[in-house]
Amino acid sequence: MTSAAPSALGHAPVLPVVVIDDAADAVPLARALVAGGLTAIEVTLRTAAAPAAIRAIADGVPGAVVGAGTVLSAGAVAEAVAAGARFLVSPGWTDGLLEAMAASGVPFLPGVSTASEVVALLERGVSTMKFFPAEAAGGIAYLKSMAGPLPRARFCPTGGISPASAPAYLALPNVACVGGTWMLPPDALAARDWARVESLAREAAALRPPGRVADAVP
């Protein structure tokens, strides 16, 4: 069993978490994110439009690495991969979901919020995880406390992270990137203001701390 790793996390310091209600918005939104430097894009499976949006981005935005988020079942794994998802993200995990994600052939990020869940994944050979909900589950202090006893675990914290708090997360040695939505403000999406999305994405892509390099991407 392998974890998600470089192909999902090595593109930029921030992984945008996208909820798409209208699949027609998928391509221009993704193009704005990619133009701003955020090439890995997580489209959550929270709407009926999500599979079509993933397919549209996979087919229409060559610079994007599109993945599926809020993956909760083996059926969702199959649907996402069939639509063109190149990585999978779940808010939590069970043995069955983990097996389905591992069998999918694409990288995956299972969600954790406790040390016991991290140990259980490490025992199964998975070392790269989503830490969710990051702020509610203990935030920077909690992740910092896990770096010593669990140095093999690496995280993409998501949930409640802002441009103000992201740099402190990214400075932690066990954080590969952070997930966020702040570059996708609802009013900009409603107005289809893709120029604003691109500008906010560019600011997010510049958040990596000095001297910190991205994971190698195969």
Side-chain angles (χ1 to χ4, degrees):
M1 186 174 290
T2 58
S3 62
S7 59
L9 303 184
H11 292 263
V14 179
L15 178 65
V17 180
V18 182
V19 179
I20 296 179
D21 293 307
D22 184 348
D25 291 336
V27 167
L29 189 156
R31 285 176 176 162
L33 291 171
V34 170
L38 301 182
T39 53
I41 301 168
E42 175 189 335
V43 177
T44 64
L45 300 180
R46 301 180 193 176
T47 67
I54 291 171
R55 185 174 296 107
I57 295 170
D59 292 343
V61 189
V65 179
V66 62
T70 321
V71 176
L72 302 177
S73 66
V77 169
E79 182 179 38
V81 173
R86 292 172 59 185
F87 63 92
L88 306 169
V89 184
S90 67
W93 63 277
T94 64
D95 284 331
L97 178 57
L98 198 67
E99 289 170 7
M101 290 194 293
S104 70
V106 302
F108 58 95
L109 278 175
V112 298
S113 60
T114 68
S116 294
E117 292 171 310
V118 175
V119 171
L121 285 178
L122 290 173
E123 188 178 73
R124 290 161 172 79
V126 177
S127 60
T128 309
M129 313 161 195
K130 173 179 179 174
F131 180 60
F132 177 83
E135 287 288 284
I140 293 164
Y142 194 88
L143 285 173
K144 188 180 293 185
S145 71
M146 285 205 282
L150 300 169
R152 289 194 296 122
R154 302 195 72 216
F155 302 97
C156 176
T158 305
I161 297 175
S162 70
S165 62
Y169 276 99
L170 291 166
L172 297 177
N174 55 350
V175 169
C177 67
V178 299
T181 61
W182 70 84
M183 72 297 301
L184 302 160
D187 59 337
L189 298 184
R192 293 177 170 81
D193 187 350
W194 309 127
R196 185 177 171 202
V197 171
E198 179 181 340
S199 177
L200 291 171
R202 185 169 290 107
E203 292 174 6
L207 287 176
R208 192 175 300 280
R212 184 81 174 268
V213 297
D215 293 342
V217 180

